Amino acid sequence: MAERGADLLLSLICLTFLHPLNMAVHVDKESTVPQFIPFGFSVEPVDILVVRGGPAILNCSVDSPVAARVEWKKDGSFLRLQADERRHLLDDGSLFISSVLHSKHNKPDEGIYQCVASIQNMGTISSKTARLSVAGIPRFSSQPEAGLVKHGDNHVFLCDINQDLVAFSRWELNRQPILLDQRVFQLPSGALVVSNASDADAGLYRCVVETGGAVKNSEEAELKVISETAERRKLEFLKTPSAMSRVLGDSVLLPCVVTGYPAPYVRWMFNDQLIEESEGRFEIVGGGSLHVLNLTEEDAGTFSCLADNVNDSIEVQVELKIQVPPQFLKKPVNTYAHESMDIIFECEVTGSPAPTVKWVKNGDAVIPSDYFKVIKEHNLQVLGLVKSDEGFYQCMAENDAGNVQASAQLIILDHDVSLPSPSSPSLISATTEHVTPGSGGSDGPTPSAPRDLVASLVSTRFIKLTWRQPAETHGEEVSYSVYYSQESMNRERIVNTSQPGEMQVTIQNLMPDCKYTFRVVAHNNNGVGESSNALTVATQPEVQVPGPAPNLQAVATSPTSVTVSWDIPLTGNGEIQTYKLYHTAKGQDTEQEIDVRGLSYTLSGLKKFTEYSFRVVAYNKHGPGVSTDDVMAQTFSAVPSAPPQNVTVEVLNSKSIMVRWQPPPADDQNGEITAYKIRYRKGARKSEASEIVAGTQLHKLLDNLQRGTEYSVRVTAMTLNGSGPASDWVTSETFESDLDESRVPDIPSSLHVRPLVNSIVVSWTPPENQDIVVRGYSIGYGIGSPHAQTIKVDYKQRYYSIENLDPSSHYVITLKAFNNVGEGIPVYESAITRPQSDPIDPDVDLYELFHAPYTPVPDPTPMLPPVGVQASVLSHDTVKVSWADNSLPKNQKITDARYYTVRWKTNIPANTKFKMANTTTLNHMVSGLKPNTLYEFSVMVTKGRRSSTWSMTAHGTTFESIPSSSPKDVTVVSKESRPRTIIVNWQPPSEANGKITGYIIYYSTDVNAEVHNWVIDPIVGNRLTHQIQDLTLDTTYFFKIQARNSKGMGPMSEAVQFRTPKAESSDKMPNDQASGLPKPGSRLPPPEGNGVVGKTGLSGASENHILVIIIIISVGAFTIIVVVVGAFLCTRRTTSQQKKKRAAIKSTNGSHKYKGNSKDLKPPDLWIHHERLELKPMDKSPDPNPVMTDTPIPRTSQDITPVDSTLDNPVLQRRNSYRGHESEDNMSTLAGRRGMRPKMMMPFDTQPPQQSVSRNIASTELLPAASAQPIYSVEPSETDVSYHSSAAEDEPNTYPPTAHVRPTHPLKSFAVPAITPHNANFESPALPSTPLLAQTGPHSVKTASIGTLGRTRPPMAVTVPSAPDVPESSKMLEDPENSYKTDVLTEEMAHLEGLMKDLNAITTT
């Protein structure tokens, strides 16, 4: 027992000491997170070229805090360097090869090398690869040849050796090394160029190749230099460039060596733009070859070498491709994770050509699988992490220009170690919901296992799981993680619930008909709890839809058709019902589909020479099956369906023309363009045409032409199938004679400078002697001396902007013209740049300063701006802008691809921006302008990337147009103390489109009435207020206003409502009575002098009373006589005349609209002002739509002068009256009984365009005394009213008088009986006047009012509208015996008696 007790005590002591130790280890384990190791390469190997037998070294240096083991791979296999005597591993990790072995059948050292570094228990990384190349044995495929060169000419010695040995080659002259410079230089091919030869260049030349001490010499070739004989020699290339590729940042030498006499002038172009040496990176060596430094991606394109002299011109092109090594846009990053998580390593690269990307894990390539996937092009996704996934992952990108690598470390932590915060961006969202599942926050209890894990929903590719919370959660915030793995797979993946407490999750992206094992773990703030029991669930098998159709093939059968065929799917459940064939043209996103029943189909109507993709999907009763992979097929090519574009010709000299063009549109090429056919002929159409074929280049030189001859040229594109349509003929004329280039050019005729703050604009004119060739101009400038810097520009240029100058500095500028002989005499000028405090040049347009996109800064070779800009106004919204171009020939024919930009704007408002349009002609129609607006126009010309400045401006003011908007702010107010008078105010229309010459005020008591039923008041001039008097009290009126200019009337404003007061003021009535206003039922004439009885205020002077009495008595006596005579003539009318009258009445009364009652016959409520009853000359109306106006409301028109003052004479008025009618005096007297005011006359062109309301009217014959007076004609037409000649011989019986009538009551009118049309045959020249007064009562008749606004234009004839359709009245008119009986005359006599009583009453007062 004692021994057992001692053992127990010893055990307790041991446990007491071990427990704190275990706790310490546990805490340390939870709190320690492994750190990432900075592991990488500080130096990586690069490509090298070595000679056989020589040494080689491949550098490699590893950057690591711990010792790393370095190894080397060659062509993917590790080298065993321990027992290798030639290859050694240096201390820094570099590989040294003491003697490179290389033979025809044994090349052990040549290949791809890679440095590999490893850290034990951590991982492995690999460097980028490097190629070791061994130079071959020197062999000369051709030897230099002896040559003869003339003074100043060029010569090339060839040295064709292995391309890899060019770097080891050099040249000797007379066995002495040659010092290379810009005149004598070596080409990349090894050839030697001797330019501008002199006597010192004569001798023996040989090419020497020296490799590793071994020297091999070519044969010697002698060069002889002889004197120039000045004999013309054709230009030809001795050396031309060939297509090549270069790496970004390298340099390239493009050879262009030309021989010929006279010495050619060589220039280079890049993508049709002239290359200037002043651009810095470009250098001309040897008089013609182009050296380009520090290549950029923008240098990829077509370079052209052009050489020409006065006799000839040649050109060669070369395509330069720029390769860009791979570069990382996004590198993978170091990542922490737990087991079962999903992660993504991101990798984004760029380069040209597009790099290929592969992933490496610990030095071994990652093979894509279900758990290692490459997504989004280059990203690596790892699913369901396990401990063995730890290590270094590398993204390696490679293309023809090089390769790069980037690495990242993955560390998988234990579940009881929290992920560092913030969590790694590489974690997938499903695993980052709970990256800290409680691992050491405290030592409290963790949850028990979740209960009742079940699969609530099982599908083919997803399973939904649910469970119950653990029996013991030990906390409120409980979250869950679901672990699952596929059967027979050791990788377990994890998915976290989206919210704490959520007890369901859906597992996506599962495989159909596979078994999966699931378990759930709960965790609280104390850590991860117990795992639930595992649940195994099998996904459902997928519905047996058809599989992919095998053996899918697409074969082109014609340029527009493709036949697609396939076999029956190998898998499927049930019979195939149909197939869907999908096809898409390359470069398009829209996929088209066709239902097919069989196993093949031929598609027709496709685009020619276009690549299509095809795929097929089979359908059965379950739906669509699995689609096939896409197969590609290209339709056959065909001849082009469109000609080449933008064909231009440029005359170079008297015997050559350069033709340029652009390919046909891409959609019309119908194949690869193999060549272009140029057809040219002399000017005559019947002349024989010559034909030449060019390659795929877009230009061709036509030489050996005749001097001073016009040639026509057209171009045709060709494919393998033949020639397409030809372009239009383009003509140009060769020069009559060539210019002289035996001497230097003369001095430029002028030089002008304009200093700015940091630049000076230099402009000049060419030498006066135009017979000497000018190749260009040389501009020298500097502070105090013009020789500091020199710039050369093209011969076509006339100005240049010298940039980057110092402010407030004195510059001296010189200008010289040059050609191949040399530079001419300079002209000097000086200028002082502006101070820095002078930011704005007063001569510079402010718009150009602040709107740079619309005014491009001139490049070193700007063009001349257009001249002679003219703006011709064609209409109210169109201006034609035309100009001339001094850079074109005298005939102003455009033969190149230039275009012109026209800009225009108006200064109202001041901040208006320019609008622009492009054109290829020398004029442009600018439309959509505002009427009556001043515009300014300017033009510039653009050719390629060269543009001129804006030309001088031209101005033009568009014509006027009718107002396009109505008057604004229409208001109506009552006049103080005068309730029957209102004041209308308004503002001019916002779009007057011209000078406003007047306004028309419309008013009515019915807002819905037709426009011609509204009362009209015209206003002359641009007054903005008007009074309207004598309105009816307590009545609602509506007002509209219309503006007028010289072109016509604008739209009417919206109706404005106003209601007059209910009663007049007490002090107003006496004033009205004193002014002669009639009381209700009174028979006094109208006030304000508008009547014929007297003027306003009968209490005037006595002489006025006497004059009024005499006039009244005369008018009354004359009226009685006329009525008696008329009644007598009416009673004597024959039966035949009555029948004709009835027939005429029947024909005209058919259009009456209203019915009346003959029982209510009473004297007419009529006032006809004889002073306004006038006959005007029958000028032809310019407006076919006269306006008829119904005047149901009394009103007074103010400030209107009578139309013709001569008609105020009563004698003339009586001479203008019609025989058989009442005299105008009588009518005026009758009208005076109703107190009516006269109607104003308004010219027809002041009326808005409306449908005229007309009726057929006949008139009586004029009195002989009035035959010389102008008269109107009224045609029996519904719409057309025109003026006729004043002579009455042709149609003496067809002219009715023009009457101005007006009722008294606001809504009352008078009736006019129907009159027989003017073309009816009358036996009697007179008609009785009684019917004019017979119809009264409720029959409303529309009356016409013609105003007096336009004094220069006579008012038009008025067509009286139809009277209402009154059956009773018609019957009365049809029976003349009843119509003209004595009772009617008696009634009229009663009216006359009443009138006489009124006159007696006036005379007694």
Side-chain angles (χ1 to χ4, degrees):
M1 289 294 294
E3 292 180 358
R4 292 183 62 186
D7 292 338
L8 181 61
L9 181 61
L10 182 61
S11 300
L12 290 174
I13 295 173
C14 292
L15 288 175
T16 302
F17 281 99
L18 287 176
H19 181 70
L21 181 61
N22 289 335
M23 290 295 296
V25 171
H26 180 69
V27 171
D28 183 70
K29 184 175 180 181
E30 289 181 346
S31 61
T32 301
V33 176
Q35 299 298 314
F36 295 115
I37 297 177
F39 188 27
F41 293 97
S42 57
V43 178
E44 296 184 80
V46 294
D47 296 345
I48 59 173
L49 175 65
V50 297
V51 296
R52 185 180 61 174
I57 185 171
L58 293 167
N59 295 314
C60 179
S61 179
V62 179
D63 184 10
S64 173
V66 296
R69 183 166 59 92
V70 177
E71 298 177 282
W72 280 87
K73 282 183 178 181
K74 177 183 177 293
D75 297 332
S77 301
F78 283 102
L79 295 175
R80 297 180 180 180
L81 302 177
Q82 294 81 1
D84 199 323
E85 296 181 355
R86 294 187 305 107
R87 293 178 288 197
H88 305 281
L89 185 65
L90 301 182
D91 293 340
D92 62 351
S94 300
L95 177 64
F96 175 71
I97 303 176
S98 58
S99 176
V100 175
L101 298 180
H102 192 79
S103 65
K104 183 177 181 180
H105 302 290
N106 184 23
K107 303 176 182 178
D109 296 331
E110 193 173 54
I112 303 297
Y113 288 81
Q114 189 175 30
C115 181
V116 180
S118 303
I119 298 178
Q120 189 174 6
N121 298 328
M122 294 299 297
T124 302
I125 59 174
S126 301
S127 71
K128 68 179 185 179
T129 59
R131 176 179 291 277
L132 187 148
S133 302
V134 181
I137 301 175
R139 291 187 179 88
F140 293 99
S141 56
S142 64
Q143 300 285 347
E145 297 181 356
L148 193 67
V149 63
K150 296 184 179 181
H151 273 281
D153 208 350
N154 304 323
H155 188 76
V156 177
F157 285 111
L158 300 181
C159 180
D160 293 336
I161 56 176
N162 306 7
Q163 188 64 34
D164 52 5
L165 292 176
V166 173
F168 303 98
S169 65
R170 57 183 174 85
W171 282 88
E172 293 181 352
L173 172 59
N174 297 327
R175 306 287 177 95
Q176 296 297 322
I178 297 177
L179 182 62
L180 301 179
D181 54 20
Q182 289 194 351
R183 189 182 67 84
V184 180
F185 56 93
Q186 188 175 4
L187 298 178
S189 63
L192 181 70
V193 178
V194 180
S195 61
N196 194 15
S198 62
D199 292 336
D201 296 324
L204 297 175
Y205 289 80
R206 70 176 181 179
C207 180
V208 180
V209 180
E210 185 174 2
T211 57
V215 178
K216 189 174 182 67
N217 301 321
S218 69
E219 298 178 358
E220 290 186 329
E222 183 179 7
L223 178 65
K224 294 182 179 180
V225 181
I226 62 176
S227 300
E228 180 60 64
T229 60
E231 180 182 355
R232 175 186 172 184
R233 297 194 307 277
K234 184 179 180 180
L235 295 182
E236 59 180 343
F237 289 109
L238 298 179
K239 191 67 177 177
T240 59
S242 56
M244 59 184 70
S245 297
R246 289 293 183 270
V247 178
L248 182 73
D250 288 353
S251 299
V252 65
L253 179 62
L254 303 176
C256 183
V257 185
V258 189
T259 181
Y261 188 83
Y265 174 68
V266 180
R267 60 186 185 275
W268 281 86
M269 301 186 73
F270 175 68
N271 292 340
D272 294 332
Q273 298 298 317
L274 188 65
I275 296 177
E276 299 290 343
E277 290 188 72
S278 58
E279 296 182 21
R281 295 189 303 109
F282 300 96
E283 182 182 17
I284 304 295
V285 296
S289 299
L290 180 65
H291 191 203
V292 186
L293 304 173
N294 191 19
L295 290 171
T296 64
E297 292 187 66
E298 289 74 19
D299 293 327
T302 302
F303 287 82
S304 303
C305 176
L306 296 90
D308 58 61
N309 57 19
V310 295
N311 300 320
D312 204 357
S313 177
I314 56 177
E315 180 180 3
V316 67
Q317 290 184 334
V318 62
E319 190 77 17
L320 177 63
K321 295 182 179 180
I322 304 299
Q323 296 181 341
V324 182
Q327 297 176 346
F328 284 107
L329 300 178
K330 186 178 292 185
K331 296 181 180 180
V333 296
N334 297 330
T335 303
Y336 289 109
H338 287 141
E339 283 189 278
S340 303
M341 284 186 173
D342 302 338
I343 64 169
I344 294 178
F345 286 113
E346 294 184 328
C347 181
E348 187 176 347
V349 294
T350 183
S352 179
T356 58
V357 175
K358 67 177 181 179
W359 283 89
V360 175
K361 177 203 169 188
N362 291 331
D364 297 326
V366 174
I367 300 175
S369 64
D370 292 340
Y371 294 95
F372 287 87
K373 299 180 179 180
V374 177
I375 62 174
K376 295 182 179 179
E377 294 186 356
H378 306 312
N379 296 339
L380 177 65
Q381 182 182 38
V382 184
L383 304 177
L385 290 175
V386 294
K387 191 67 176 178
S388 60
D389 292 332
E390 272 190 336
F392 291 93
Y393 290 79
Q394 288 181 278
C395 176
M396 311 192 77
E398 181 180 12
N399 65 5
D400 294 340
N403 64 91
V404 291
Q405 61 85 23
S407 61
Q409 185 179 3
L410 171 63
I411 296 180
I412 297 179
L413 303 177
D414 295 335
H415 282 287
D416 54 358
V417 178
S418 301
L419 293 177
S421 181
S423 59
S424 171
S426 300
L427 298 179
I428 297 177
S429 60
T431 61
T432 56
E433 303 286 347
H434 306 287
V435 293
T436 54
S439 58
S442 65
D443 293 332
T446 58
S448 59
R451 300 173 294 174
D452 301 335
L453 174 63
V454 295
S456 60
L457 182 61
V458 179
S459 182
T460 57
R461 295 185 180 272
F462 70 88
I463 293 177
K464 183 177 181 180
L465 301 174
T466 58
W467 59 88
R468 294 171 57 205
Q469 69 178 11
E472 298 176 354
T473 59
H474 300 294
E476 296 182 358
E477 294 187 1
V478 178
S479 56
Y480 301 90
S481 298
V482 177
Y483 296 83
Y484 68 97
S485 61
Q486 188 176 351
E487 191 177 33
S488 72
M489 295 288 182
N490 60 352
R491 285 183 178 272
E492 191 175 48
R493 300 180 60 185
I494 182 174
V495 174
N496 297 320
T497 54
S498 58
Q499 296 178 357
E502 186 177 13
M503 290 179 289
Q504 65 178 13
V505 72
T506 300
I507 310 298
Q508 303 279 357
N509 301 321
L510 304 179
M511 298 297 294
D513 199 18
C514 292
K515 290 185 178 181
Y516 289 87
T517 300
F518 303 91
R519 63 185 181 92
V520 183
V521 175
H523 41 84
N524 58 15
N525 294 331
N526 299 324
V528 179
E530 299 178 8
S531 173
S532 67
N533 295 327
L535 172 68
T536 301
V537 181
T539 55
Q540 295 181 355
E542 207 158 31
V543 176
Q544 288 297 316
V545 296
N551 196 24
L552 177 63
Q553 296 180 350
V555 180
T557 56
S558 75
T560 59
S561 62
V562 173
T563 298
V564 185
S565 61
W566 58 90
D567 294 337
I568 299 176
L570 301 178
T571 60
N573 184 12
E575 180 183 1
I576 301 297
Q577 296 178 347
T578 185
Y579 297 92
K580 279 192 181 295
L581 172 61
Y582 298 88
H583 65 95
T584 308
K586 185 177 181 180
Q588 294 185 353
D589 298 330
T590 304
E591 192 175 43
Q592 300 183 11
E593 63 179 47
I594 300 173
D595 288 329
V596 182
R597 295 291 181 180
L599 297 177
S600 65
Y601 187 80
T602 300
L603 295 96
S604 58
L606 304 179
K607 295 181 179 179
K608 300 175 182 178
F609 197 67
T610 303
E611 190 175 27
Y612 286 85
S613 64
F614 303 90
R615 66 184 183 93
V616 174
V617 176
Y619 280 71
N620 64 6
K621 62 182 180 180
H622 299 292
V626 181
S627 173
T628 63
D629 294 332
D630 289 355
V631 296
M632 310 298 294
Q634 189 176 53
T635 54
F636 293 156
S637 62
V639 297
S641 54
Q645 305 177 94
N646 301 331
V647 179
T648 61
V649 293
E650 180 181 359
V651 179
L652 300 180
N653 49 54
S654 62
K655 292 189 176 182
S656 60
I657 294 176
M658 179 64 73
V659 185
R660 303 180 187 275
W661 62 89
Q662 294 296 322
D667 292 340
D668 297 321
Q669 293 183 11
N670 302 336
E672 184 177 353
I673 302 297
T674 58
Y676 292 93
K677 186 192 307 180
I678 297 94
R679 189 178 181 89
Y680 63 98
R681 68 188 182 193
K682 294 182 182 179
R685 292 189 175 182
K686 297 183 179 180
S687 61
E688 183 178 355
S690 301
E691 190 172 277
I692 58 175
V693 177
T696 57
Q697 61 188 21
L698 300 178
H699 56 86
K700 183 65 177 178
L701 179 69
L702 306 180
D703 53 5
N704 298 323
L705 305 178
Q706 296 183 6
R707 298 174 182 267
T709 304
E710 185 181 77
Y711 285 88
S712 299
V713 183
R714 68 179 182 182
V715 186
T716 303
M718 303 174 62
T719 63
L720 294 174
N721 304 83
S723 302
S727 65
D728 295 334
W729 290 99
V730 181
T731 61
S732 186
E733 185 176 348
T734 56
F735 298 147
E736 189 66 35
S737 61
D738 293 322
L739 301 179
D740 180 19
E741 200 173 4
S742 61
R743 53 197 175 114
V744 297
D746 290 349
I747 184 173
S749 55
S750 69
L751 174 63
H752 303 280
V753 296
R754 186 179 65 154
L756 302 177
V757 178
N758 298 110
S759 62
I760 297 177
V761 179
V762 184
S763 60
W764 62 88
T765 54
E768 294 182 358
N769 187 355
Q770 300 289 324
D771 296 330
I772 304 176
V773 174
V774 177
R775 298 288 181 184
Y777 295 91
S778 176
I779 304 173
Y781 65 95
I783 298 179
S785 171
H787 307 298
Q789 295 196 43
T790 302
I791 297 172
K792 290 186 177 182
V793 297
D794 189 72
Y795 72 96
K796 295 180 181 179
Q797 194 162 334
R798 293 293 179 269
Y799 69 90
Y800 183 79
S801 179
I802 305 175
E803 303 291 341
N804 302 320
L805 303 182
D806 297 330
S808 303
S809 301
H810 185 276
Y811 283 87
V812 180
I813 301 166
T814 181
L815 176 72
K816 295 178 286 186
F818 68 87
N819 56 19
N820 290 333
V821 178
E823 295 180 342
I825 303 174
V827 57
Y828 293 89
E829 189 60 81
S830 64
I832 300 177
T833 52
R834 294 172 180 259
Q836 189 69 44
S837 60
D838 188 8
I840 298 179
D841 185 356
D843 295 332
V844 176
D845 188 1
L846 291 178
Y847 184 87
E848 297 179 1
L849 289 176
F850 297 104
H851 297 77
Y854 298 105
T855 308
V857 178
D859 61 5
T861 59
M863 302 185 69
L864 292 175
V867 297
V869 180
Q870 295 182 350
S872 302
V873 181
L874 302 181
S875 67
H876 67 279
D877 64 348
T878 305
V879 173
K880 180 181 180 181
V881 184
S882 57
W883 59 89
D885 191 345
N886 279 347
S887 61
L888 293 176
K890 292 183 178 180
N891 59 6
Q892 292 288 288
K893 288 186 178 179
I894 302 174
T895 58
D896 50 22
R898 71 181 64 198
Y899 66 91
Y900 301 90
T901 302
V902 182
R903 71 176 184 180
W904 66 92
K905 75 163 191 170
T906 177
N907 292 326
I908 302 174
N911 60 349
T912 304
K913 294 185 178 180
F914 280 101
K915 294 184 179 180
M916 297 189 183
N918 294 333
T919 180
T920 57
T921 61
L922 294 176
N923 60 74
H924 181 68
M925 303 287 288
V926 181
S927 58
L929 305 179
K930 295 181 180 179
N932 194 41
T933 303
L934 175 64
Y935 284 89
E936 63 176 52
F937 304 87
S938 55
V939 188
M940 79 172 180
V941 59
T942 302
K943 181 180 179 183
R945 288 192 294 184
R946 299 170 56 201
S947 297
S948 71
T949 56
W950 291 105
S951 68
M952 298 183 67
T953 58
H955 296 82
T957 302
T958 53
F959 295 153
E960 291 188 2
S961 178
I962 62 173
S964 54
S965 64
S966 60
K968 303 181 298 182
D969 304 333
V970 180
T971 59
V972 182
V973 295
S974 178
K975 190 170 183 179
E976 186 178 358
S977 74
R978 297 187 66 181
R980 294 179 181 268
T981 302
I982 58 97
I983 300 176
V984 184
N985 302 306
W986 65 90
Q987 291 298 319
S990 56
E991 297 177 359
N993 300 339
K995 182 180 179 181
I996 297 299
T997 58
Y999 295 92
I1000 304 297
I1001 298 180
Y1002 297 79
Y1003 60 97
S1004 171
T1005 58
D1006 183 6
V1007 71
N1008 297 319
E1010 297 291 335
V1011 175
H1012 54 265
N1013 288 334
W1014 289 52
V1015 180
I1016 297 174
D1017 254 357
I1019 293 93
V1020 179
N1022 56 359
R1023 290 193 299 113
L1024 301 178
T1025 184
H1026 183 67
Q1027 290 188 13
I1028 300 178
Q1029 302 177 357
D1030 295 335
L1031 300 180
T1032 304
L1033 297 177
D1034 195 19
T1035 303
T1036 299
Y1037 290 88
F1038 299 91
F1039 299 85
K1040 296 181 181 180
I1041 303 184
Q1042 200 173 22
R1044 175 188 185 276
N1045 59 17
S1046 62
K1047 295 298 181 180
M1049 304 300 302
M1052 283 189 287
S1053 65
E1054 295 292 331
V1056 176
Q1057 181 178 345
F1058 181 82
R1059 188 175 185 87
T1060 54
K1062 293 185 178 181
E1064 297 182 352
S1065 59
S1066 59
D1067 58 345
K1068 180 70 174 62
M1069 297 305 295
N1071 294 335
D1072 291 343
Q1073 293 173 0
S1075 300
L1077 290 174
K1079 297 180 180 180
S1082 71
R1083 292 186 172 182
L1084 292 177
E1088 299 184 8
N1090 291 330
V1092 295
V1093 176
K1095 297 184 179 181
T1096 305
L1098 294 177
S1099 60
S1102 60
E1103 56 270 23
N1104 292 339
H1105 286 209
I1106 297 173
L1107 180 60
V1108 170
I1109 293 172
I1110 294 173
I1111 293 174
I1112 293 175
I1113 295 173
S1114 301
V1115 171
F1118 182 76
T1119 303
I1120 294 172
I1121 295 172
V1122 171
V1123 171
V1124 173
V1125 173
F1128 177 77
L1129 293 177
C1130 290
T1131 56
R1132 297 288 300 273
R1133 192 169 236 177
T1134 61
T1135 304
S1136 61
Q1137 291 172 333
Q1138 295 172 358
K1139 291 181 179 180
K1140 292 179 181 180
K1141 179 64 179 177
R1142 281 197 301 270
I1145 293 174
K1146 288 181 179 180
S1147 64
T1148 57
N1149 284 347
S1151 61
H1152 291 175
K1153 302 178 182 178
Y1154 308 102
K1155 295 183 179 180
N1157 191 349
S1158 61
K1159 297 178 181 180
D1160 300 329
L1161 291 178
K1162 60 182 180 179
D1165 186 9
L1166 177 65
W1167 166 259
I1168 299 180
H1169 187 21
H1170 72 283
E1171 291 182 6
R1172 301 297 185 266
L1173 181 62
E1174 57 185 354
L1175 303 175
K1176 288 293 183 178
M1178 294 183 303
D1179 296 334
K1180 189 143 190 175
S1181 170
D1183 189 345
N1185 297 318
V1187 179
M1188 310 309 299
T1189 307
D1190 193 4
T1191 58
I1193 304 174
R1195 57 96 181 90
T1196 299
S1197 297
Q1198 297 180 347
D1199 304 326
I1200 302 299
T1201 317
V1203 176
D1204 194 350
S1205 60
T1206 60
L1207 295 181
D1208 292 336
N1209 193 328
V1211 177
L1212 293 178
Q1213 294 168 6
R1214 285 191 289 272
R1215 290 179 59 189
N1216 290 337
S1217 62
Y1218 289 90
R1219 184 172 58 186
H1221 286 263
E1222 295 176 290
S1223 68
E1224 293 177 357
D1225 302 76
N1226 193 15
M1227 293 180 181
S1228 300
T1229 305
L1230 288 173
R1233 297 167 59 189
R1234 295 299 178 187
M1236 294 300 300
R1237 295 191 180 274
K1239 227 8 176 155
M1240 291 295 100
M1241 298 185 66
M1242 181 173 62
F1244 73 96
D1245 54 358
T1246 63
Q1247 302 296 327
Q1250 303 171 11
Q1251 183 179 1
S1252 62
V1253 182
S1254 62
R1255 64 172 295 184
N1256 300 332
I1257 301 175
S1259 67
T1260 61
E1261 183 181 1
L1262 291 172
L1263 289 172
S1267 61
Q1269 294 291 330
I1271 52 180
Y1272 291 103
S1273 71
V1274 180
E1275 297 290 342
S1277 169
E1278 292 294 329
T1279 59
D1280 186 26
V1281 178
S1282 60
Y1283 292 108
H1284 289 269
S1285 172
S1286 61
E1289 289 83 357
D1290 296 335
E1291 296 182 26
N1293 298 326
T1294 60
Y1295 307 104
T1298 301
H1300 305 283
V1301 293
R1302 179 171 185 177
T1304 300
H1305 194 275
L1307 299 177
K1308 199 170 189 180
S1309 183
F1310 60 90
V1312 179
I1315 304 176
T1316 307
H1318 75 280
N1319 54 1
N1321 296 324
F1322 292 97
E1323 295 181 4
S1324 173
L1327 287 175
S1329 60
T1330 306
L1332 186 62
L1333 305 173
Q1335 287 186 341
T1336 58
H1339 315 309
S1340 176
V1341 176
K1342 301 169 185 163
T1343 64
S1345 176
I1346 300 181
T1348 59
L1349 278 180
R1351 288 307 183 91
T1352 60
R1353 182 175 299 179
M1356 65 169 289
V1358 177
T1359 303
V1360 182
S1362 301
D1365 186 7
V1366 185
E1368 293 83 353
S1369 299
S1370 300
K1371 292 178 181 179
M1372 178 189 69
L1373 292 174
E1374 290 174 0
D1375 190 358
E1377 295 180 359
N1378 295 330
S1379 300
Y1380 303 104
K1381 288 184 179 180
T1382 56
D1383 56 345
V1384 177
L1385 294 177
T1386 302
E1387 186 177 357
E1388 293 299 323
M1389 292 300 294
H1391 291 314
L1392 293 177
E1393 291 176 0
L1395 175 62
M1396 294 304 297
K1397 291 180 180 180
D1398 294 338
L1399 293 177
N1400 293 332
I1402 293 174
T1403 56
T1404 57
T1405 59

